[in-house]
Each structure stands twice: as structure tokens, then as C-alpha cells.
């Protein structure tokens, strides 16, 4: 059976009246020259248009298009705004993924309350498919959040959400979570691939036509990836991962951001008043000890987006069990640890191939940049020889396979951060003010540990 072709209709821009022929005057409202050529599209209902009619898309010169400068919406939470690139861009969709209980709903409830307080007359629609209105109100009361101006909608039906969007035209729309939303047009079972793609497309289509922001939470798999089709991540503008360490610390990191950097890291502490941003993370990632620093610990300075902070790398080496050595590291890539250990074994003669290597980072932050290589090498050497590095020491540099300590970006800022936090001995590949220059791993080991 052939598909029904889309037909042309004419819609009034004043009253949305449609008819099959063009007229100079709208027969419904009497306005002149308001009938515009449109397409009778059966999918237009899904895009929240009136009467199943979609306006024809026409090309426009790029030079006539105005950029969305200054169109950001401040969430009122500094660490959240940092990860978003300075605030949530209007007409954008944000997807936040994280394991159950990590604080996604808490973060979004705090955001809804603070956006309401910052934007006079701003409408907020909070859609929950997992909790009742009483549960959410109880959380707001515990956190001391004002509930004025926040409209609650506890439903799983997309059609109910559409009606609420048309009636309220909110500035901020929160959907918690997108996996619970279903539409009768795509079936009756929430969470299927078709449901996720269909419902997400409908909501994103609505927000793209208005100066609003859509934030959706998403379930994750046991590997920490957002559950559902990968196309869900392609549909949105920003994908944010919510992680945590073993303590009450939360890390917010953008995996995709069309309006900002993906290098920024937001750090929160979960308190009885909700999530609170941590402005100075170095106090979390460097352990304050009474007495001397034990062996196997080295400090380095890392950059996460636009800020630098000092971190403590911890290493432990023990004889390998059954003669097969392994690397146990979940905060630093295991391949990087194995590569640095191989360079040490080749260039210094210190044997690591018969050792199990355990690597940790104080505070639970995940490190990915190459500037940590030299400090990682020092921590491994310290753990193997039982010689301490020293608590007032920081080591910065990338390690090549030839054993060279290579320069790293923004060394001056790293050195300043380390000095401000009390590091008197600094080792780096360049002779910055107050630094000891080291050119290769052998020289670094000699200077750090002595002859």
C-alpha cells in the first residue's frame, strides 16, 4: 500500500487556522496576508504543532543569522555552570547520566529552585516518572529549597507532558528520567529503543523552538554508560556524566558539549543541605599528615579545564602472585601505568615485571592527562625502593618511551599552584622560577631521591 503523500495547506500565522487554498484574508480571524504555505505532516503532532501542520523549512543566508551570544541561563550552581560552559544555553537539551542514588534528582531540584529565584517570573516544569509529588516536596523541605513557581507533573505519558508544555511554556523543563516516559504513538512499554528516540525527539523539538532549556536524566548501565540507543546522545546538545568516589564527593564532567569545553570538572560534596560545590579541590586531593610522608606517594599538579590543583598519586608494589604481574588501577588508565613502569625498568634497571602494581589517587579523581607521568614514575620507584619522595615535593612532566621528561602545557600556572600550596621542591622539564629542571627519568630519580 502506497504511503499517503504530504499535501500543501495554508496556515494563518495569527490564529493557526488552516485551509487548502491561499486567500488574501483569513476567514477565521479576518487578518490580511497572514496565510503561509505549510505541509500537512502527520508527524507534526509529535513536534507539538497545532493541527498536524508543519511550516516549510526554507534556506536563509548564514550572514543574516544572529548568534546566540548571551543566551545562557545561569543555573545558580557554580560548579554546574562551569561544566556547562558558563550556564545552560537556551534552546538546548542536556542529558545527565549517573548511577542510582548519586544525586541527579537532588542536583536538578536545586537547579530548579535557584533558576526560579534568579529569573523573575520564570516558569519551571519538573516532570517525574519515578517519584511522587510528595516525595519530591519532602526532599525540597529537607534541603531548605523554596517550592514557589515550580510546577510538578508526575506522569509517564508524553501526551500529558505535551499538554503541560503548551499550557505553561516554561523556561526550564526537567524530565526525571527519560527512560520512564512513553507515548501511545510508539507503544505502551517505557524504556524501549523506539520509545526513547521518539519521546526524546518530541521534547527536544519543542525546546528548539523556544527560549527554554530541557534537562533530562538517564539511567546508566553497569559500565557507567548511558543506557539506551547511542542516538539518544546524538540528539541532545550536552551529555554530562555524574560520578562519585567512595566518599561523599561527586564529580560532574561533560562528555559532549556543543556550547563549551568538555575539559571542565565540577566537584561537589553531598551534605545534609544537598550538593555543595567545592571551590578549592586541592584540599581534598592532598592528604594532610602529621609526621613524614610514607613511601609510594608523589604529588603533581593537574589541569581540569580552566583550573589547576594539586593531587596525590599513591603506588604500592608487591611480588606477583603465581608469577604473573598485574596492574590494579581504576583512577589512572592501567595501560599508562604499565607503560611508565616499563620505561622505569628499561632506563633505571629497577625491576617491575615481577610485581603487582596498585595505583590510587587521593580523593578519587580520575586523571587522564600526560603531565602526571613523571609523578607516577616517582611514586612507583618510591614504592619499589621504600624511599619517600617528601611531602613538600611536586613533580610535573610527561614521560616518553625513551625516558625523556617532556614539557607540558601551562607549566607556569601549575608551578604557581604548587607553590601556593606549600611545595618547596619542584621538578619540571623546564627551568621555571623556583623549579629544578630534569631532562630524563634517570636525572629525575637522582634529584628526587638523592644519590
Amino acid at each position: 500500500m502506497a504511503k499517503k503523500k504530504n499535501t500543501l495547506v495554508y496556515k494563518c500565522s495569527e490564529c493557526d487556522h488552516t485551509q487548502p487554498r491561499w486567500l488574501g484574508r483569513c476567514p477565521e480571524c479576518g487578518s490580511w496576508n497572514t496565510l503561509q504555505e505549510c505541509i500537512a505532516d502527520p508527524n507534526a503532532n509529535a513536534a507539538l504543532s497545532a493541527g498536524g501542520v508543519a511550516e516549510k523549512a526554507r534556506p536563509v543566508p548564514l550572514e543574516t543569522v544572529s548568534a546566540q551570544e548571551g543566551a545562557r541561563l545561569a543555573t545558580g550552581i557554580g560548579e554546574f555552570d562551569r561544566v556547562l560552559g558558563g550556564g545552560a544555553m537556551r534552546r538546548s537539551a542536556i542529558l545527565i547520566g549517573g548511577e542510582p542514588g548519586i544525586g541527579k534528582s537532588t542536583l536538578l531540584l536545586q537547579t530548579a529552585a535557584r533558576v526560579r529565584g534568579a529569573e523573575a517570573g520564570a516558569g519551571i516544569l519538573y516532570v517525574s516518572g519515578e517519584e511522587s509529588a510528595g516525595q519530591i516536596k519532602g526532599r525540597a523541605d529537607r534541603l531548605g529549597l523554596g517550592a514557589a513557581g515550580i510546577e510538578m507533573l508526575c506522569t509517564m505519558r508524553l501526551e500529558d507532558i505535551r499538554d503541560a508544555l503548551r499550557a505553561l511554556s516554561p523556561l526550564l523543563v526537567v524530565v526525571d528520567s527519560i527512560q520512564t516516559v512513553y507515548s501511545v504513538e510508539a507503544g505502551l512499554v517505557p524504556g524501549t529503543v523506539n520509545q526513547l528516540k521518539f519521546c526524546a525527539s518530541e521534547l527536544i523539538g519543542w525546546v528548539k523552538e523556544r527560549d527554554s532549556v530541557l534537562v533530562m536524566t538517564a539511567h546508566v548501565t553497569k559500565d557507567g554508560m548511558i543506557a539506551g540507543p547511542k542516538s539518544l546522545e546524538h540528539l541532545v546538545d550536552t551529555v554530562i556524566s555524574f560520578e562519585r568516589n567512595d566518599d561523599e564527593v561527586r564529580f560532574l564532567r561533560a562528555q559532549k558539549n556543543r556550547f563549551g569545553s568538555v575539559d571542565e570538572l565540577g566537584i561537589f560534596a553531598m551534605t545534609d543541605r544537598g550538593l555543595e560545590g567545592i571551590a578549592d579541590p586541592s584540599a581534598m586531593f592532598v592528604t594532610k599528615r602529621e609526621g613524614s610522608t610514607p613511601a609510594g606517594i608523589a604529588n603533581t599538579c593537574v589541569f581540569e579545564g580552566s583550573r589547576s590543583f594539586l593531587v596525590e598519586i599513591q603506588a604500592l608494589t608487591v611480588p606477583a602472585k603465581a608469577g604473573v604481574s598485574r596492574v590494579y588501577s581504576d583512577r589512572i588508565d592501567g595501560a599508562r601505568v604499565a607503560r611508565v613502569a616499563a620505561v622505569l625498568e628499561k632506563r633505571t634497571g629497577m625491576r617491575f615485571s615481577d610485581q603487582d602494581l596498585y595505583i590510587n589517587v587521593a580523593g578519587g579523581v580520575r586523571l587522564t592527562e600526560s603531565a602526571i607521568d613523571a609523578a607516577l614514575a616517582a611514586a612507583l620507584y618510591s614504592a619499589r625502593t621504600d624511599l619517600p619522595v617528601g611531602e613538600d615535593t611536586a613533580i610535573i612532566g610527561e614521560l616518553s618511551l625513551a625516558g625523556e621528561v617532556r614539557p607540558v602545557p601551562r607549566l607556569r600556572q601549575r608551578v604557581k599552584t604548587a607553590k601556593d600550596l606549600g611545595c618547596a621542591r619542584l621538578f619540571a622539564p623546564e627551568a621555571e622560577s623556583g623549579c629544578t629542571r630534569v631532562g630524563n627519568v634517570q636525572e629525575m630519580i637522582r634529584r628526587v631521591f638523592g644519590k
Side-chain angles (χ1 to χ4, degrees), residues 8 119 122 313 319:
L8 292 179
E119 294 279 337
I313 299 177

Side-chain angles (χ1 to χ4, degrees), residues 157-164 166 182-185 198:
R157 295 180 65 248
L158 178 65
E159 290 72 20
D160 296 336
I161 302 175
R162 287 178 183 170
D163 293 339
R166 290 195 189 99
Y182 75 93
S183 171
V184 293
E185 299 179 39
F198 183 83

